[in-house]
Amino acid sequence: MAKPRPRLEKPTLDEYLDKVTLAEQATQHVLKPWAGVGLGLLFLIVSMIFAAAYVSEQPGYLIIIAAAAIAGYMAMNIGANDVTNNVGAAVGSRAITMTAALVIAAVFEVAGAVFAGGRVVSTVEAAIVDAAQMPAGLSFVWVMMAALMSAAVWINIATWSGAPISTTHSIVGSILGAGVAAAGFSAVHWVSLAGITASWMVSPILGGGIAALLLAFVKTFIIYREDKIDAAIFWTPILIAAMTGAFAAYLAVIGLEKVVDVSVVNGVLIGLAVFVLTIAAARPWIIRQAQGLDNRNQSLRKLFQMPLILSAALLSFAHGANDVSNAVGPLSAIVANVNGLAILETAHVPLWVMLIGAFGISCGLLLFGPKLIRVVGEEITKLNPMRAYCVAFATAITVLLATSLGLPVSTTHTAVGAVFGIGFFREWYTRNSKRRLEYVRQKTGHMDFERRVEHSPEELHRRRLVRRSHFMTIVAAWIITVPFSALLSAVVYSILAALFI
């Protein structure tokens, strides 16, 4: 005779609630990526409404409203891909949290774009192709429209692939490709393009060189001193003051040129005054921070946290001033051309155009930025607050210099170049610094340390502090960006021309 089946116990209320909680967590996990997409679409709708409020009574206003949405999309992609370079070093060194880094970058990106972004915008909108050589009608408008669409799509693809490409390369290549498709190679301003291209090659080298020199300075005068804390108390305020002084001089001469006219001499004097005041304010703060710290490298990380945060903020301001042009330069050109204005390098950039670019960059950073922050901050070479400070400071100085000259340099190239500069310098310093070898001998007691390093291939390979695979991957992405975006833009322009011209 078969045994009766055991009676199943009814689920308790707690078990039902656990199932509901698991279902909610699964739903949130599935829908989380789409939340960012939804908020991004909301920003594009707001951009269109914002543009309509300013151009609804102007000729060709529908084209401008559509261009505003595409420019907002481009700006969000810049924020998702390019702005990560500003705070990647700070997050990778564990100096600040991801949330704090995103907030700092978002605020200073907007400030840099609004107060200091006009100079490079003029270069992007007017100095790459000649509007006068375009076919009659709105051909130039569709050139810029195709450039925005192509660059934004390419950056979007790269971001989802985890590749930190240059958004500057993308937009310049796109304008070049659409311009050639519309009017041939004669429409290209080859001299201006040569200057922009030269700045692309110089910026990563300059960023890497400045970062390496800064790290050499920090190692020589702080890290490998007998009393590290006293050395840090003396030099850290000076490093902070050098950064704030350079920023103040730039802001006085370039950043606020739309508000007040300051000569270069007066700007330098303002920078020197800020330098002195910063030292006076920072030194007591550093002394308080240093109280009770042990005389070791780990203690130095605490003292370099504030300089690193300041340098990340400065870099975000510099990036906003420079790279907002990649989104709103073509939009400004579209507005001017639709209204029948001349496209000149001194053309006025409407404030509402700058605001779409500024807030679009911050929106893209907050929604999609964390994806690439770890690539720059953690996966190329190991960073601590001292190294990260050198990366951020070097990148900021290089980008600010380029912005003052009106050159749309690649912040990606500069920041990644600085990270590689730090890594390669550390490799060289590990093998060749007599000061470091003597320091290690004293700490470890290994008198044959130098001989083991020089004659052991395994030891040399272990001390390769830069991941070569990342170096080759990033360089390959840099090389392919311009030709790919140019080709894509030429195709998009051809389609737009067939439909609307």
Side-chain angles (χ1 to χ4, degrees), residues 420-477:
F420 279 121
I422 290 292
F424 286 125
F425 171 78
R426 290 178 60 216
E427 289 188 1
W428 176 88
Y429 195 85
T430 298
R431 293 193 299 265
N432 298 283
S433 173
K434 302 298 182 182
R435 178 189 294 273
R436 181 187 182 280
L437 292 173
E438 182 61 31
Y439 179 84
V440 173
R441 286 194 193 98
Q442 293 176 0
K443 294 296 182 182
T444 63
H446 294 305
M447 300 305 295
D448 63 338
F449 179 82
E450 183 176 0
R451 180 181 61 80
R452 289 192 298 107
V453 171
E454 290 181 349
H455 298 286
S456 171
E458 295 79 9
E459 184 71 13
L460 287 173
H461 181 75
R462 187 178 70 83
R463 293 180 178 277
R464 292 175 66 175
L465 304 176
V466 178
R467 296 185 181 181
R468 266 57 174 181
S469 60
H470 283 78
F471 178 78
M472 298 306 298
T473 300
I474 291 173
V475 170

Side-chain angles (χ1 to χ4, degrees), residues 14-98:
D14 288 341
E15 290 175 335
Y16 276 122
L17 292 176
D18 288 340
K19 291 180 180 180
V20 172
T21 301
L22 289 174
E24 289 178 346
Q25 291 175 347
T27 303
Q28 291 176 359
H29 179 75
V30 172
L31 295 180
K32 186 177 180 180
W34 293 103
V37 175
L39 291 174
L41 290 174
L42 179 62
F43 172 77
L44 298 185
I45 295 173
V46 171
S47 298
M48 296 174 68
I49 297 173
F50 189 60
Y54 285 90
V55 302
S56 59
E57 298 181 357
Q58 298 178 8
Y61 68 94
L62 291 178
I63 296 177
I64 296 176
I65 293 173
I70 300 173
Y73 173 52
M74 174 68 174
M76 285 197 299
N77 280 290
I78 293 173
N81 192 291
D82 224 18
V83 181
T84 57
N85 303 311
N86 306 346
V87 295
V91 175
S93 66
R94 306 293 192 274
I96 54 178
T97 64
M98 179 74 75

